[in-house]
Amino acid sequence: MMDHSLTIGAMMERAENFFPKKEVISQTHDKIHRLTYKEIGKRTRSLMSALDKLGIQRGDRVGTLAWNTHRHLEIYFAAPGMGAVLHTINIRLSPEHIIYIINHAEDKIIFVDEDIFPLINQLHEHFTTVKTFVVMTDKDTLPETTLTNVYSYEDLIRDGDETYEFLEDIDERDPAGMCYTSATTGKPKGVMYTHRSIALHSYALGLADSAAVSESDVAMPVVPQFHVNAWGIPFACTWFGSTQVMPGPRFTPERLARFIEEYKVTITAGVPTIWLGLLKEIETNNYDLASLRGVLCGGSAAPIGMIRAFEQKHHIPFFHAYGATETTPLATFSRLKSYQADLSMDEKIQERTRQGILAPGLEMKVVDENGDIPWDNETMGELLLRGPWIANEYYNDDRTEKSFVNGWFHTGDVVTVDEEGTIKIIDRTSDLIKSGGEWISSVELENVLMAHEAVFEACVVAIPDEKWQERPIACVVLHDGYDGKVTKEELLDFLKPQFANFWIPDDVIFVEEIPKSSVGKFLKRELRKIVLTFMEQ
Ligand code: ADP
């Protein structure tokens, strides 16, 4: 067979050649843009020529601080297409982490959405390698700044060469993209993707037994393009010619519901907090969401009550998937097997709370201190992964040694496996609660609490305990209108039939909101501090 490289430039070329009429619909600050892949292809080429003129060379890092828009999509292809590396930066991180990431990655140029530009004005003096900034705006004028090396994105496109060629001599093992973990558990760690890993991961998204992304889809990635490349959806959708809907800056649940209805979105993806918001919206106002064939949910565990509401009440198929920055991210996908069709509705919903089975091409091991655990749905162990889209190291980081051992990525996630081989994420190693020598899963308690009709969000954390070492405490945000209508005791009684006695939290604290990470995950470190202060009072 030919030793032919899979490259990101060729993905865009395929969209230009075979799907020139298909569209990308994109919300920016000022308006909705509708561009065909023919136009997106030309603009991507112009952008490559601009990067070239601005002195960007092979291997240079091209940073982005941007929302999900067509412009961000163009950079996804232009940077790797001319041999550089796309580095998407999480705009919601703290300024300190943003500075750390930009300097650590040694970004040469930064593309920034106009509403995020004030942040650049504040932070630029701390950047050690950035030479140029490009503002992504619909306006004719640039925002006010004392910086001199600032360009307008649309000027670059206008002055660029729309016939510029994607670089031919790229090896598929060359770096193409870079993301940093969202720092749920510490300082961000960088992961470098290759052309090959992104292409193979895109194939995986297209498999019928995973997300089955295809030409006929209208895909709306709600997961940000700065969070593990919107889970790789923009790459796969462009390659396969799907219509894409980019929800743009500061979207609301109302905008998401409206876009699904208006553009007949078939598939969408995001973290559970996004879907909790959407659920609230569609239960308050009327929308026709019949076009949806799948809501993909990952990033943290999807609560059973939410899955039930989507599946049973709204008849929207809901798919749970699992992965991490280090895994590009798709690692497991949850679908019922053909012979599980006879399960009762309740059993099916239970199945859907599991994170599913491993994508073809990847391998897994689940181990505890005695080695491989049995697949008995009870024994817990850490999930280890390897495969062509699993990272082999952190970029220039001495934490590599801890997570990448003997060719396996140690995910830090504790799971059980059933006899079908489906995994259930029990907790992160750091969030498991150790009480009297036994493990308690905060995630399982949260999921059941969130199935109570009064509970909007629930988060369970460990607090130190003299006798038991650690004990669980539940923090609960109630749905509107339930204040004062439900007691701690009622919530604990709701848990009791479902868990062993020692699992039942020592207390329930009602809070206004749960602190969340930059990508919408519960920030347990922060919550633990709040709980400890509360308990001291
Ligand atoms: P960070 O590690 O900073 O949160 P990532 O976005 O890479 O950044 O998160 C990956 C982690 O998210 C996984 O290791 C796992 O703990 C959690 N996760 C991802 N998907 C799921 C899921 N479907 N259910 C439970 N946890 C999940």
Side-chain angles (χ1 to χ4, degrees), residues 180-186 188-189 193 227-228 231 271-272 297-302 320-327 329 332 353-355 394 409 411-414 424-429 431 443 517-519 521:
Y180 281 71
T181 59
S182 49
T184 310
T185 51
K189 294 174 270 194
Y193 308 110
H227 185 205
V228 209
W231 299 347
V271 294
C297 184
S300 45
H320 204 178
Y322 158 84
T325 308
E326 297 85 338
T327 68
T332 72
T353 64
R354 307 179 69 83
Q355 281 78 2
Y394 290 121
F409 165 51
T411 61
D413 289 318
V414 176
K424 180 155 184 87
I425 307 279
I426 302 299
D427 233 326
R428 287 191 182 233
T429 30
D431 292 337
V443 175
S517 78
S518 55
V519 291
K521 301 185 192 189

Side-chain angles (χ1 to χ4, degrees), residues 197-219:
S197 69
I198 291 175
L200 293 175
H201 179 265
S202 303
Y203 279 132
L205 283 176
L207 293 171
D209 288 333
S210 80
V213 173
S214 83
E215 182 275 333
S216 59
D217 272 316
V218 179

